[in-house]
Amino acid sequence: MLKHLFKLIWNKRKQNFLFLSEILVSFLVIFAVFSFLTYYYQNYTKPLGFEYERVWAINYDNGQFPKNKDSLQTLYSTLSNSLKAMPQIEEVCYASGNFPYASSTMSTAVKQNGKKFDRVNFYTVSEDYKKVWNVTMLAGRWFEPEDAVSKDKSIVINETLKTAIFGEGSAVGKLIGDFEDKHKMKVIGVVQDIKTAGDYWPAGNAMFNRLDTGYLKDTRNILIKVSPDADATFESQLYKFMTSTFKNSTIEIEHLSEMRDSKNKVTIIPMVIFMIIAGFLIINVALGLFGVLWYNINKRKGEIGLRRAIGASGNSVSYQLVLEALILATLSLVVGCFFAVQFPLLSVFDVPSSVYLIAMVLAVIFIYLLVFACALYPGKQAASIHPAVALHEE
């Protein structure tokens, strides 16, 4: 049976070329869609690693700040104490501009045993950063005041960077080099991964530095954790307090919950648009496949009538036409899988191989279902052809 089908397909290779091309293009488009969806879904299912619901970010700039480091430190210490004294504020910390869901990013590289690890997100934070976000320590500890006078610079790394550098071994107490490997940094703790770019993106490699007096002159962000009863009235009071503290400064208060929604929309909206475009393409391809199969049946009425006349059942005729379509789909999928498998082999876009493999399997299943659905009705129509009518028309 299969040998006969392959012979029929080969004899009509020119007519089947369009069918094969449509299946190949459809597979590649569906593979791309499922790759995105699988990648985003895998990231979405991972925990955030922090709490953002009642965190506000206060941004300020263009203000007149003291030039002296001691005066600047006194200013920020007084400001922190004043904010903590407000009943609606539970925790306060200072941070660099690349805090979670912010548009700013900072990255560097670290070295360990001659191996370089690129694209490490580094965050400069004060000691209360952990309390504001309620991050989870997996090993070691968070920053403490005595870290300011330690011999080697103290850092905290996330789980992803720890696994990349030390594997399953312990990282606490180990030394790693900076991007030029001139200075050593001591790992004092490992935190759970924090997805700072949104729910649909991985945490990536991350490293936290303790904010010291030298960085205060560049600090323009205060993160506060407010109580559940903090409302618009308190936000207005807070704004007035900040404008009176920082003269001639532009003050902006942002809610992290709103920033998270905006960050996720940036990811979701293009994906939805891409899926809509892909959906229209698949509909057109399905109509094209249906039309090609219908045309082939009309062209093969004589062949179908002859098979029915010599005793072939309607089900066997329908089965043959559906199987032909599935074999043609298989030939296209073999070519498509050859191109698709290059993505995990070459580590394209630095995406885990499992994403491409899952997307490939889903795309293959989808194409088979699409072809089967498009071939089923024409196959049933072919089964209903009466042999006498078909032979008479011939």
Side-chain angles (χ1 to χ4, degrees), residues 231-269:
D231 53 12
T233 301
F234 167 70
E235 184 175 348
S236 177
Q237 295 173 355
L238 178 62
Y239 180 83
K240 292 178 180 178
F241 171 78
M242 293 300 300
T243 54
S244 63
T245 301
F246 294 109
K247 303 294 184 180
N248 301 322
S249 179
T250 302
I251 306 296
E252 182 181 8
I253 300 177
E254 298 179 287
H255 297 201
L256 267 294
S257 57
E258 297 176 357
M259 295 177 65
R260 170 181 174 266
D261 294 339
S262 299
K263 204 74 173 180
N264 288 338
K265 286 180 181 178
V266 172
T267 302
I268 294 175
I269 292 177

Side-chain angles (χ1 to χ4, degrees), residues 221-382:
N221 303 281
I222 303 176
L223 302 175
I224 61 173
K225 187 168 188 177
V226 299
S227 60
D229 61 342
D231 53 12
T233 301
F234 167 70
E235 184 175 348
S236 177
Q237 295 173 355
L238 178 62
Y239 180 83
K240 292 178 180 178
F241 171 78
M242 293 300 300
T243 54
S244 63
T245 301
F246 294 109
K247 303 294 184 180
N248 301 322
S249 179
T250 302
I251 306 296
E252 182 181 8
I253 300 177
E254 298 179 287
H255 297 201
L256 267 294
S257 57
E258 297 176 357
M259 295 177 65
R260 170 181 174 266
D261 294 339
S262 299
K263 204 74 173 180
N264 288 338
K265 286 180 181 178
V266 172
T267 302
I268 294 175
I269 292 177
M271 189 69 250
V272 171
I273 295 175
F274 183 36
M275 290 176 62
I276 292 174
I277 296 173
F280 279 115
L281 176 63
I282 295 305
I283 292 174
N284 289 330
V285 169
L287 293 175
L289 295 178
F290 187 85
V292 169
L293 293 172
W294 185 268
Y295 176 77
N296 287 340
I297 289 174
N298 290 329
K299 293 285 289 185
R300 298 169 62 180
K301 275 190 175 181
E303 173 194 336
I304 295 172
L306 182 60
R307 287 199 63 202
R308 292 297 308 278
I310 61 178
S313 65
N315 288 335
S316 64
V317 171
S318 177
Y319 175 76
Q320 175 190 340
L321 293 175
V322 173
L323 191 59
E324 281 185 24
L326 293 177
I327 291 175
L328 287 171
T330 301
L331 296 176
S332 292
L333 290 175
V334 170
V335 178
C337 288
F338 171 78
F339 290 106
V341 79
Q342 306 304 314
F343 285 80
L345 292 177
L346 300 176
S347 299
V348 180
F349 303 124
D350 195 24
V351 173
S353 299
S354 61
V355 171
Y356 293 123
L357 297 178
I358 293 174
M360 195 185 309
V361 172
L362 293 176
V364 168
I365 295 174
F366 182 89
I367 291 299
Y368 274 129
L369 292 176
L370 178 66
V371 172
F372 179 78
C374 292
L376 190 61
Y377 183 74
K380 288 185 177 181
Q381 290 297 310

Side-chain angles (χ1 to χ4, degrees), residues 180-200:
E180 293 182 348
D181 208 11
K182 291 183 178 180
H183 302 91
K184 294 297 181 180
M185 301 175 290
K186 183 179 180 180
V187 179
I188 62 172
V190 179
V191 297
Q192 185 180 11
D193 287 341
I194 299 175
K195 297 195 295 186
T196 60
D199 296 355
Y200 302 97

